[in-house]
Amino acid sequence: MTAIQGSAAAVTGAASGIGRALALELSLRGCDLALADRDEAGLQAVGAEIAKASQRKVTAHRLDVGEPGQIEDFARAAITAHPALNIVINNAGVALLGQFGEIEQAQMDWLFNINFWGTVHATRAFLPQLSRQREAHIVNISSIFGIVAPPGQSAYCAAKFAVRGFSESLRHELAVAGSPVKLSVVHPGGVATNIARNARTGTGVTDNARRAQSIERFDALAKTTPAAAALRIIAGIEKNRPRILIGNDARFMDLLQRFRPATYWKPLQRRIEKAAAKVATAK
């Protein structure tokens, strides 16, 4: 296990959503923090909120995880500020709406640079530091869409499946080498964040109603709060859980995929449409 009390953690995407909730909860449990995000105002707000509730050391770092050079700079600055840093949470991510034929290659590259390569580059940048600690932990945020793959999410699913594969293989490598570094890969289901509302749209998508419908469906499934997601991730760190599923929807989809690996989409589609219809009726 990796104890939270007395640790120091680097968290990307810390200005909002799950990252913000993680920062707040980790600080309350006695963890110092190096927080990173493109949203500098959001980072300052999180830092101020933490300062009101705890005396933990918090540093804020502007970071675009799609830029490898910035990740290297962040790692150096975070380690300098927190010499005993032993937890890295690769949380930053973006979304892209559109079927494969509606998405330009440049848009897919943009998403991959953040959602997949950002995770890989940050893991590489921090791993030497983590390997020197008595106990250390990497948390890579995938998605339930790293387990199931609905239509209209080809880019996002490809990246999140890649995060899952990278994380599982690296975890096995670390175990075989007897490394003190443990690794958890996280698969959130619907969490009430702004990722869907902030999603970019494929250049080939011309129907604005489709975007609105996609957001509405996401909202219908987003039953888990960021705070609840953060609590489950932290419990996973403490108990060294290799895979962390967040939300009843994620657990259902994981089981469905196991039982029907090639034919899960039709029953899953019916469940999603039913949930969306229920929300629409309640409005």
Side-chain angles (χ1 to χ4, degrees), residues 93-262:
V94 293
L96 177 61
L97 170 66
Q99 296 184 10
F100 180 65
E102 298 171 323
I103 296 170
E104 292 184 352
Q105 185 61 43
Q107 292 183 298
M108 199 164 186
D109 291 343
W110 165 78
L111 182 140
F112 255 79
N113 284 339
I114 295 169
N115 288 7
F116 176 63
W117 287 117
T119 295
V120 173
H121 291 315
T123 300
R124 190 182 299 279
F126 279 103
L127 190 54
Q129 163 72 12
L130 301 181
S131 299
R132 292 190 291 268
Q133 308 309 307
R134 185 174 62 84
E135 56 184 37
H137 211 104
I138 298 169
V139 178
N140 290 337
I141 309 294
S142 176
S143 168
I144 191 56
F145 290 170
I147 295 175
V148 300
Q153 296 288 339
S154 55
Y156 189 80
C157 289
K160 292 302 187 178
F161 269 77
V163 168
R164 172 188 170 190
F166 165 70
S167 300
E168 292 184 2
S169 182
L170 178 58
R171 182 174 66 244
H172 300 153
E173 290 177 6
L174 293 168
V176 168
S179 171
V181 183
K182 309 303 181 184
L183 191 152
S184 299
V185 60
V186 182
H187 297 281
V191 180
T193 70
N194 288 324
I195 189 168
R197 295 182 182 278
N198 294 334
R200 292 189 180 182
T201 304
T203 55
V205 178
T206 57
D207 184 0
N208 289 330
R210 258 180 66 199
R211 176 181 175 84
Q213 184 183 52
S214 295
I215 293 172
E216 188 173 89
R217 286 188 173 187
F218 179 85
D219 288 345
L221 297 173
K223 302 299 185 182
T224 304
T225 66
L231 288 175
R232 187 158 180 84
I233 291 168
I234 291 169
I237 294 172
E238 292 176 325
K239 297 178 181 179
N240 188 29
R241 289 177 176 158
R243 172 185 279 198
I244 302 170
L245 292 167
I246 296 178
N248 290 333
D249 55 339
R251 287 184 279 275
F252 168 78
M253 285 185 259
D254 179 54
L255 285 172
L256 179 62
Q257 191 278 334
R258 290 168 188 252
F259 285 111
R260 301 183 61 169

Side-chain angles (χ1 to χ4, degrees), residues 31-43:
C31 185
D32 293 340
L33 295 163
L35 305 180
D37 204 293
R38 292 184 63 186
D39 179 3
E40 293 180 276
L43 282 179

Side-chain angles (χ1 to χ4, degrees), residues 1-10 26-27 29-34 56-58 82-88 130 133-137 237-238:
M1 65 173 285
T2 303
I4 302 300
Q5 176 72 38
S7 288
L26 287 168
S27 68
R29 293 174 181 236
C31 185
D32 293 340
L33 295 163
R56 305 313 307 177
K57 181 178 180 180
V58 179
H82 308 273
L85 190 147
N86 66 327
I87 298 173
V88 173
L130 301 181
Q133 308 309 307
R134 185 174 62 84
E135 56 184 37
H137 211 104
I237 294 172
E238 292 176 325

Side-chain angles (χ1 to χ4, degrees), residues 36 61-63 67-81 121 125-126:
H61 310 260
R62 188 189 184 284
L63 171 66
E67 297 291 338
Q70 290 189 27
I71 291 176
E72 293 173 5
D73 291 343
F74 167 54
R76 282 192 293 268
I79 292 166
T80 298
H121 291 315
F126 279 103

